[in-house]
Amino acid sequence: MNTVHVRSAERALSAGTWLIVAGAMLYSILTVTPLAAAHTPDEWAWTAPILPLVVDAAVVIVVRLDAVLARLGGHGGRWPIALRWMTGGMTLALNVADSALHNDPVGVAVHAVAPLLLIVTAETGLAYRRAITAAVLALEARQQAEREARERAAAARREAADRRAREEREHAAQLLREQREHEARLAREQTEREEAARRAERAERQAREQAEREARERREREREQQQRERERLEREAAQRRERERLEREQEARRQQQERAECERRERAALLSGGPVNEKLPEDRARAVVHAAFGEGLPVRTAAELCGWSVGWVSARYAEHRDGAGLVLEGASS
């Protein structure tokens, strides 16, 4: 007996159980529906098949869940047993009720076959499944024990083989280690001689490199000193140029301020005469207009100061404004 046979038996049991359940459900629906319809108001006669369907659905639930619990080796307790017997009793009572009401013993016996067969099949199937589950668990335990025994034997054989191989490797390694130690001793002596020669050569090279480094550092210091001297001279020259530039700018600002002060005095002198009753000479009038424009005086005030017409003064103002705009454009460009 192996797992293939067990699965085949479980499939046969499941197929037979569900075949009996399906037949009993169909027979119960066909038997109970007329009884329910006869005891139901006419307007609700269409609900007669619901009762056998509900009872048979409970039967399906019980059979299915009992199968699952039996396969898992579990137990649902007292309520599944009560539901199983209650649904079986209800199915039996509903199926034989009509024959019992008509005092038909043969009909009671005939209609009791399917419910009784369903009840006994459910109980027997549950017992079979529990027995199969126990047998499967025992078979799996035995197979597991056999596998563990085989694995332990294989592990012991592997351990013995590994031990022999390890001993052989250790012996070979010892011989190889002794040979290597001899070769290493010879190589070490050769290495010491070569190392002594390299140390002498390295000391000579280091002395030569030290002399070259000192010469290079001396040249670097001299070059850095010359560089610092050049930078100092360049800084002094830059500072001298900066002082000269600042002096020139201060001188230019001073001269500009003097010219601006002189122009202010000239404008004040030109504008201090007040309004005139006759035209001033054109050169004098232009100077007065220019002074008035610089002071921001209105055109009419400038016309009163020079004695010329407002139109002529406006034309001179326009010339001054155009000239100022050209100056500003030149400065911005």
Side-chain angles (χ1 to χ4, degrees), residues 273-298:
V276 296
N277 296 324
E278 58 183 8
K279 289 183 179 181
L280 297 177
E282 184 175 357
D283 293 340
R284 178 73 176 176
R286 284 180 178 273
V288 171
V289 170
H290 179 69
F293 178 81
E295 293 296 330
L297 298 178

Side-chain angles (χ1 to χ4, degrees), residues 210-230:
Q210 180 66 23
E212 293 176 355
R213 186 166 53 253
E214 291 176 355
R216 186 168 56 253
E217 290 176 354
R218 187 171 55 257
R219 290 193 298 271
E220 288 291 334
R221 286 195 299 272
E222 293 175 355
R223 187 162 49 251
E224 291 176 358
Q225 185 177 0
Q226 294 174 359
Q227 180 68 21
R228 286 195 296 271
E229 184 64 22
R230 284 196 299 270

Side-chain angles (χ1 to χ4, degrees), residues 52-64:
L53 283 175
V54 171
V55 175
D56 293 337
V59 174
V60 172
I61 292 172
V62 170
V63 173
R64 179 58 181 164

Side-chain angles (χ1 to χ4, degrees), residues 39-254:
H39 294 80
T40 303
D42 293 338
E43 62 271 17
W44 295 100
W46 59 272
T47 62
I50 295 178
L51 179 60
L53 283 175
V54 171
V55 175
D56 293 337
V59 174
V60 172
I61 292 172
V62 170
V63 173
R64 179 58 181 164
L65 293 182
D66 281 342
V68 174
L69 285 175
R71 186 67 183 88
L72 296 176
H75 192 277
R78 290 175 296 177
W79 284 107
I81 297 174
L83 179 61
R84 187 165 62 248
W85 282 96
M86 185 177 69
T87 53
M90 289 180 178
T91 303
L92 177 61
L94 290 172
N95 276 272
V96 302
D98 188 58
S99 298
L101 291 174
H102 290 85
N103 295 319
D104 184 6
V106 177
V108 170
V110 170
H111 288 95
V113 172
L116 291 175
L117 182 60
L118 178 60
I119 295 170
V120 174
T121 300
E123 293 296 330
T124 305
L126 179 58
Y128 276 139
R129 287 190 175 91
R130 288 175 179 171
I132 290 173
T133 300
V136 169
L137 293 176
L139 177 61
E140 290 177 351
R142 186 168 60 254
Q143 292 175 350
Q144 180 66 24
E146 292 175 356
R147 283 196 299 272
E148 291 177 355
R150 288 194 299 271
E151 290 175 357
R152 284 195 297 272
R157 289 193 296 271
R158 287 195 300 271
E159 185 177 356
D162 292 341
R163 186 171 56 254
R164 288 193 298 272
R166 186 169 58 252
E167 291 174 354
E168 292 176 357
R169 287 195 300 271
E170 289 176 355
H171 180 67
Q174 183 178 0
L175 295 177
L176 182 61
R177 186 166 52 251
E178 292 175 355
Q179 181 181 358
R180 287 179 176 174
E181 288 176 356
H182 178 67
E183 293 176 353
R185 186 171 58 255
L186 296 177
R188 189 165 52 252
E189 294 174 356
Q190 178 66 23
T191 302
E192 290 175 355
R193 290 193 294 271
E194 293 176 354
E195 184 64 24
R198 282 197 296 272
R199 281 197 298 270
E201 182 181 356
R202 188 164 52 250
E204 182 181 355
R205 185 173 61 253
Q206 290 177 353
R208 186 170 56 255
E209 290 176 355
Q210 180 66 23
E212 293 176 355
R213 186 166 53 253
E214 291 176 355
R216 186 168 56 253
E217 290 176 354
R218 187 171 55 257
R219 290 193 298 271
E220 288 291 334
R221 286 195 299 272
E222 293 175 355
R223 187 162 49 251
E224 291 176 358
Q225 185 177 0
Q226 294 174 359
Q227 180 68 21
R228 286 195 296 271
E229 184 64 22
R230 284 196 299 270
E231 291 176 354
R232 185 182 63 78
L233 295 176
E234 290 176 356
R235 283 196 302 272
E236 291 178 355
Q239 293 173 358
R240 186 170 55 256
R241 289 193 297 271
E242 183 66 17
R243 285 195 301 271
E244 293 175 355
R245 185 182 64 80
L246 292 175
E247 291 174 356
R248 287 195 298 273
E249 291 179 355
Q250 292 175 357
E251 181 64 22
R253 284 196 296 271
R254 187 181 60 77

Side-chain angles (χ1 to χ4, degrees), residues 248-262:
R248 287 195 298 273
E249 291 179 355
Q250 292 175 357
E251 181 64 22
R253 284 196 296 271
R254 187 181 60 77
Q255 293 177 0
Q256 185 177 1
Q257 292 174 357
E258 291 178 354
R259 285 195 298 272
E261 183 64 25
C262 182

